[in-house]
Amino acid sequence: MAYYCSFKPSLLLLLFFIATSQAKDDSITHLHFFLHENDNRPNATAITVVNSTTSDPGGFGSIGIFDDEIREGSSVDSKLIGRAQGMAPEVSLSEMAWLVLIDFVFTDGEYNGSSLMVVGRATIGRPVERSIIGGTGKFRMARGYTINKLLSSAPAGRFIAEYDAYIVH
Ligand SMILES: *[C@@H]1O[C@H](CO)[C@@H](O)[C@H](O)[C@H]1NC(C)=O
Ligand SMILES: *[C@@H]1O[C@H](CO)[C@@H](O)[C@H](O)[C@H]1NC(C)=O
Ligand SMILES: *[C@@H]1O[C@H](CO)[C@@H](O)[C@H](O)[C@H]1NC(C)=O
């Protein structure tokens, strides 16, 4: 018992040092960028590959695939910094909502060659938060979240979403 009592504080001290040294190694990176999707053929960056087999007005069961652009700004000619590649099945029987899986692959700038895997729900008409579940390159072991909202200023057939990503890696 005496051994146990004298051992406990040093164990706590050790755990404290492990916890604080891990906290110091974690850095939080904030990225701000814009996703550009073009639904206009022939240069569409998103397609529907499966249509719903139900009469559900939200299109329950449909699946979209996309290879959208990641740009620095909201303008279509702002600098291209990567691609947002993924898929979005419509998964809700009660409203229009998708389960979105996106690999953000950076091809320019500080994070060229690195990627972020983002998963989560999408709905229409309100800002969306999704989980960052991993990454590669400079984003190995990443976790965090993204917040995005659609800009209402996009031309017809185009979707432009402003993204903030908060990444611990
Ligand atoms: C599709 O892309 C090509 C190559 O960039 C371009 O020349 C053409 O004007 C585009 N078409 C439309 C309808 O945007
Ligand atoms: C899905 O439905 C639309 C509209 O009816 C049609 O244009 C498109 O070809 C269909 N796509 C597939 C993959 O069946
Ligand atoms: C990004 O990295 C690739 C592979 O290392 C390289 O070929 C390419 O030139 C880089 N792009 C830019 C814009 O630096």
Side-chain angles (χ1 to χ4, degrees), residues 80-139:
L80 183 69
I81 55 170
R83 310 293 303 199
Q85 299 172 328
M87 61 188 298
E90 212 282 4
V91 291
S92 175
L93 283 167
S94 57
E95 62 175 328
M96 286 181 86
W98 295 263
L99 171 60
V100 185
L101 175 68
I102 313 180
D103 195 8
F104 286 97
V105 181
F106 295 96
T107 55
D108 201 343
E110 188 184 349
Y111 298 104
N112 183 13
S114 300
S115 68
L116 282 175
M117 186 55 75
V118 175
V119 178
R121 189 175 162 85
T123 50
I124 288 174
R126 52 187 187 262
V128 164
E129 177 176 345
R130 298 194 191 108
S131 308
I132 295 171
I133 61 163
T136 67
K138 290 188 173 162
F139 295 129

Side-chain angles (χ1 to χ4, degrees), residues 129-162:
E129 177 176 345
R130 298 194 191 108
S131 308
I132 295 171
I133 61 163
T136 67
K138 290 188 173 162
F139 295 129
R140 278 181 186 167
M141 308 292 283
R143 59 195 190 282
Y145 63 99
T146 63
I147 305 275
N148 73 276
K149 59 173 190 287
L150 281 180
L151 302 191
S152 53
S153 56
R158 286 181 181 262
F159 294 92
I160 301 172
E162 180 173 14

